[in-house]
Amino acid sequence: MSHLSKQQQELYSEFLKFAKTNVEPYANQWDREECISRKIIDICSEAGYLGGTVPAEYGGQGWDNLTYGIFNEAIGRSSISLSGLFNVHTMIEQTILKWGTEEQKQRWLPFMAKGEILGAFALTEPEAGSDAAGITTEYRLDGDKLILNGKKKWITFGAIADIILVFGKLEGKPVACIVEKNTPGLTVTPVKDMLGFRAGHLAVLQFDNCVVSKENMIGKEGFALNYIALYALEFGRISVAFSALGLLRGCLEICSEHVQKRKTFDKRLIEHGAIRKMIADMGVDYEAAKLLCYNATIAKNNHSPDATEKVMIAKYFTTMAAARHSSNAVQIMGAFGCNESFAVSRYYRDSKTMEIIEGSNEIHQMLLGKSFARQFGKVTKIKDESN
Amino acid sequence: MKIKETILEFIKANLIISQNEEMLSDNDNIFELGFVNSLFAMKLLNYLESEFKIVVEPEDMDISNFSTLTNIEAFVKNKL
C-alpha cells in the first residue's frame, strides 16, 4: 500500500467496504440473470462513483488515474460485470473531457457524473474488432445533419446506455459522434449467453438512417481512430487491468481461506506441495501485477510519454495472470469452483473475456513486441558500433 | 537542446528501427512513410504535452500539425 497516499488508502478502504456490502452479495445472482440491477447503478450514482474521474467543475470527484484504478480493483474483486459499467462510462466521460467542445462538456458531463446519463462505447462491429480500420458504419452529410447507417456488436452496457459514442466513416474519414438512445432508426438488441461479463448488458446496435446533429461529433474528422478511440481505450485498459487485479485478489482470498481449512489425507491442503506452489504463484503474480498497474497509472498521472505502453503492459500481464490463476483457483476449490453459486467459477469465465476486450492480448503482443525490440535493439547496435 | 532536436530525439527513440529510416529529414511526412502505428500516435501526444507543458486541444487535431518535424516544431512554438 506504500504507493498510495493517505487519502488514496482511505478511499481504497471505502471502495472495498462499498463493494463488500453492495456488490459481492448480489454478483452471482446478477450473473445468473445476465443483468446488473438498476438499484446498484443508482447506489453507485448516489455515491458519486459514476463521476469518479470527472473534474469537480463538471460535478465529479476529480480522482486521479491511480484512484480510479483502485476503485476498479475493489469493484472487480466483487463483480467484473459491474466494473464494465465504470469502464465504458468513464471512457466516454474522458473522451468528451479531452476532445469535446465546452458546449459538449456542459451538455453531458454533469449528468454523466451524477449517473443520470449512462454512456457506452461503440467501435466493434460484427466484422471488425481488433482491425478497427475495417469498420463499415457510415455517416453521410445531409445539410447540417449526419445520416448514420451501420451495425455495432458486443457493446458493453449498450442495452441500457443513454448515449453512445459511435465510430464510423464520413467520406472515408473516421469520425465519432454521440448518438442518443431515443434516436429514431436505432434498434437495440440485448446479447445473451456470454462466457464472461454476462451481466454487462451487452447489445447489438443497428442504425438505420439515424439523424445525428453535427454538433454531436467529438473532435475533428479523420482523428477518431488514431486519437479519440485510442485515448478512450487507454482508460478502458486501466479499468480492465485493475479489475483483473481485483479478480486475482479475489482468487487469492478465497483459495487462501479454503486451503487452510480443508483437509485431505489428514493434512490441510496448504501442506501439499502442489497446492502451496499454486498459492505462491498466485500471490507473486498479484504483487507483480499490482506494481505494474500502479506504475502505469502513476505514469499516466504524470503525462509520461511511456504511459501508453505501461498501461498496455499492465493490462497484458494482469489479465493473463488472472486467467491463469482463476483456472488454478477452480482446481484448488474442486467442485465448489465448478458451481455457479461460488465466485470462483464466475472469475474463471470473466478472466478469459478480459484477455480479449480493450485490445486483445495478441494486439498487445504485436505492439509491445515491436516496441521492446526497438528499445532494446538499439542497445545492441550501440555495442556493435563501439567494437 | 532546441525544440526540433528534442522532438527528433524522441522520434528516433520511439519510431525508428532501421538505419535507413534514421535518414528522416525535416520535411518527411512520417505518416506517409509508414512510420506511425497506433502506439506512437498516443506516445507523441503524451510526449508533446509533457515535454513542452502544452495541452493539445480538439482544434489542434489537424494531421499537418503532426506530419513532419518542421510542422511539429511550428505547432509547439505556436502553443508556447
Side-chain angles (χ1 to χ4, degrees):
Chain A
M1 294 289 279
S2 58
H3 289 78
L4 303 180
S5 67
K6 189 170 185 299
Q7 186 188 17
Q8 286 167 330
Q9 288 180 39
E10 288 170 359
L11 280 170
Y12 186 54
S13 298
E14 173 195 313
F15 299 153
L16 284 173
K17 186 178 174 187
F18 177 88
K20 287 264 182 194
T21 306
N22 298 294
V23 181
E24 194 172 322
Y26 312 102
N28 288 333
Q29 180 189 342
W30 296 336
D31 206 62
R32 275 195 299 274
E33 295 173 356
E34 300 186 65
C35 178
I36 291 284
S37 73
R38 187 73 220 188
K39 185 180 175 187
I40 185 60
I41 297 174
D42 291 342
I43 292 171
C44 290
S45 299
E46 284 166 23
Y49 294 158
L50 271 301
T53 64
V54 174
E57 64 184 293
Y58 297 108
Q61 306 293 319
W63 293 342
D64 67 297
N65 292 296
L66 177 52
T67 304
Y68 175 60
I70 57 176
F71 172 74
N72 276 275
E73 183 189 350
I75 297 296
R77 158 71 182 82
S78 295
S79 170
I80 289 297
S81 287
L82 183 59
S83 74
L85 170 63
F86 298 101
N87 178 351
V88 296
H89 187 75
T90 302
M91 284 166 74
I92 307 306
E93 289 175 328
Q94 287 298 321
T95 300
I96 293 171
L97 192 63
K98 175 64 181 173
W99 302 116
T101 63
E102 187 56 38
E103 189 275 334
Q104 289 171 331
K105 292 175 195 175
Q106 295 291 349
R107 182 176 167 193
W108 287 305
L109 287 179
F111 302 98
M112 294 187 78
K114 284 189 279 189
E116 292 173 3
I117 289 179
L118 298 180
F121 180 84
L123 176 61
T124 302
E125 298 181 358
E127 303 300 328
S130 294
D131 182 12
I135 58 173
T136 57
T137 293
E138 186 180 43
Y139 287 94
R140 177 170 52 83
L141 197 57
D142 182 17
D144 60 347
K145 303 285 186 185
L146 295 166
I147 308 299
L148 170 62
N149 282 286
K151 189 176 188 178
K152 298 291 180 181
K153 196 168 185 184
W154 317 117
I155 306 306
T156 305
F157 280 86
I160 62 167
D162 301 291
I163 61 171
I164 307 139
L165 185 64
V166 182
F167 290 80
K169 289 179 181 171
L170 174 62
E171 295 173 350
K173 293 179 180 175
V175 296
C177 298
I178 296 287
V179 178
E180 296 176 2
K181 75 171 178 184
N182 56 2
T183 303
L186 167 57
T187 306
V188 179
T189 309
V191 175
K192 298 292 183 184
D193 304 324
M194 297 300 294
L195 174 71
F197 280 82
R198 282 169 60 171
H201 290 283
L202 271 66
V204 175
L205 309 175
Q206 176 75 45
F207 304 94
D208 293 314
N209 292 314
C210 293
V211 178
V212 181
S213 169
K214 273 187 77 177
E215 291 172 357
N216 286 16
M217 187 184 292
I218 305 293
K220 285 187 175 180
E221 297 168 28
F223 286 88
L225 293 181
N226 271 348
Y227 285 93
I228 294 175
L230 293 178
Y231 187 83
L233 283 167
E234 198 154 291
F235 285 91
R237 286 173 183 147
I238 290 172
S239 173
V240 172
F242 274 91
S243 300
L245 185 67
L247 187 153
L248 198 46
R249 179 184 170 129
C251 290
L252 199 50
E253 288 176 1
I254 291 168
C255 290
S256 296
E257 187 175 332
H258 183 71
V259 299
Q260 292 183 86
K261 285 182 178 172
R262 179 90 170 180
K263 282 187 176 178
T264 56
F265 307 106
D266 293 327
K267 287 198 294 190
R268 292 179 300 145
L269 285 181
I270 192 63
E271 304 303 330
H272 296 285
I275 297 291
R276 197 177 291 190
K277 179 184 184 305
M278 281 194 271
I279 297 292
D281 289 348
M282 204 180 281
V284 168
D285 275 354
Y286 172 73
E287 290 296 331
K290 184 164 73 171
L291 288 174
L292 288 174
C293 287
Y294 283 16
N295 196 25
T297 43
I298 290 167
K300 189 152 178 70
N301 283 347
N302 296 332
H303 294 281
S304 170
D306 59 4
T308 297
E309 269 166 322
K310 288 184 184 301
V311 170
M312 292 180 78
I313 291 167
K315 189 270 180 188
Y316 180 65
F317 182 89
T318 310
T319 56
M320 280 197 304
R324 186 165 61 249
H325 295 300
S326 63
S327 172
N328 285 341
V330 171
Q331 196 71 22
I332 290 169
M333 299 301 293
F336 295 106
C338 300
N339 188 289
E340 286 192 358
S341 299
F342 294 88
V344 165
S345 73
R346 177 165 46 82
Y347 288 159
Y348 179 59
R349 290 183 287 99
D350 283 336
S351 66
K352 185 63 225 172
T353 311
M354 298 176 95
E355 291 193 298
I356 296 167
I357 60 172
E358 290 359 1
S360 69
N361 281 2
E362 287 70 28
I363 290 290
H364 281 66
Q365 287 168 352
M366 283 169 60
L367 292 169
L368 291 173
K370 191 168 183 180
S371 177
F372 278 122
R374 177 181 298 124
Q375 191 181 332
F376 290 96
K378 283 195 177 296
V379 173
T380 306
K381 195 169 76 176
I382 290 167
K383 281 181 180 172
D384 289 343
E385 286 170 351
S386 66
N387 285 335
Chain B
M1 195 183 288
K2 291 179 181 174
I3 291 173
K4 187 183 289 181
E5 284 71 32
T6 308
I7 297 168
L8 180 60
E9 283 304 307
F10 174 78
I11 291 176
K12 278 185 171 181
N14 290 281
L15 200 62
I16 291 166
I17 195 161
S18 76
Q19 277 190 313
N20 288 340
E21 289 169 345
E22 289 195 32
M23 300 303 286
L24 183 73
S25 68
D26 290 0
N27 293 307
D28 281 339
N29 187 316
I30 57 175
F31 290 88
E32 289 177 359
L33 290 171
F35 287 2
V36 176
N37 65 15
S38 56
L39 182 55
F40 179 78
M42 284 302 297
K43 288 182 78 167
L44 179 63
L45 176 68
N46 285 332
Y47 168 74
L48 294 177
E49 291 193 333
S50 64
E51 178 69 28
F52 301 106
K53 307 285 184 285
I54 61 173
V55 176
V56 179
E57 305 280 359
E59 55 267 28
D60 300 325
M61 298 313 289
D62 187 324
I63 199 81
S64 64
N65 281 336
F66 309 103
S67 59
T68 70
L69 255 178
T70 301
N71 290 0
I72 298 171
E73 180 194 29
F75 170 71
V76 169
K77 281 183 174 173
N78 191 41
K79 297 289 285 186
L80 291 174

